Amino acid sequence: MIENILQFQQLDLMLRRIEQELGATEERRRSKQLHQYLKESEEKLKQLEEHAEQLSLKLDKLKDSYAENKELIAEYAAAVDKSINLDELNYLNKKLNDLSKTVALLDRDMAALLKDMEDTAAQFEEYRQKLPKAKKQYNEAKIGFDEVRKSREPEIIEIRKKMAQAEKKIAPEILEKYRKLKSQGVYPPFVKLLGESQCGGCRVDMPMSMVSRLSEKGYIECENCHRIIYKSE
């Protein structure tokens, strides 16, 4: 029983190594790098578009506020010309000074906003111009990796074929334990008993009462890492 799952695990390990070798190729590294760049660039373009829309709305509000304050200045200036009361004249002059300061602040805010809009547009254009080249490079790298992977495909197919044959000889509950552990990142799922009581995965000592069950069941589960421990002949 253990022999079958160990054969399955060995084949799985061979497949895993091939995938690791493929993942370490320059073609794979380059395609992943470019794919990440494209993803980040598209996200950045989206953010820049949203930012530009927000800036445009803010600018419209500032323009409206600027126009309103300019109209008030004109109205107060006309009122000053007609005023003959000193108190009223002082009041109007104060309002004019306040409005002039407000307009100056609006001028400053609009200038800063326009600069932000220019910078945003420049960044957007820079990303937009780089994307076609990056997409071309990504496609070339992907094609290169596909060719490398294709060269290992017969080997992969053969291993998977043997795994499918080995799988038929494994008890469902054992196979389920194997796949569950693997999905949790525990690898290899099945390990030898080291010495008299040590887990071959995490190296933690098992209670002798548990180790004694190895001869009955053929395997035990490590209390620490949950790997399946078997005893080699």
Side-chain angles (χ1 to χ4, degrees), residues 54-85:
Q54 292 171 1
L55 291 176
S56 181
L57 291 172
K58 287 181 181 179
L59 184 60
D60 288 342
K61 289 180 180 179
L62 285 175
K63 284 180 177 179
D64 290 342
S65 183
Y66 184 86
E68 290 172 5
N69 280 276
K70 291 292 284 186
E71 286 180 10
L72 286 172
I73 287 175
E75 290 176 12
Y76 281 122
V80 166
D81 292 339
K82 297 175 183 178
S83 177
I84 57 174
N85 183 294

Side-chain angles (χ1 to χ4, degrees), residues 11-26:
L11 290 166
D12 194 20
L13 179 60
M14 291 169 63
L15 192 61
R16 183 185 174 95
R17 284 174 180 165
I18 292 173
E19 292 294 342
Q20 289 174 341
E21 289 168 5
L22 288 170
T25 61
E26 176 62 22

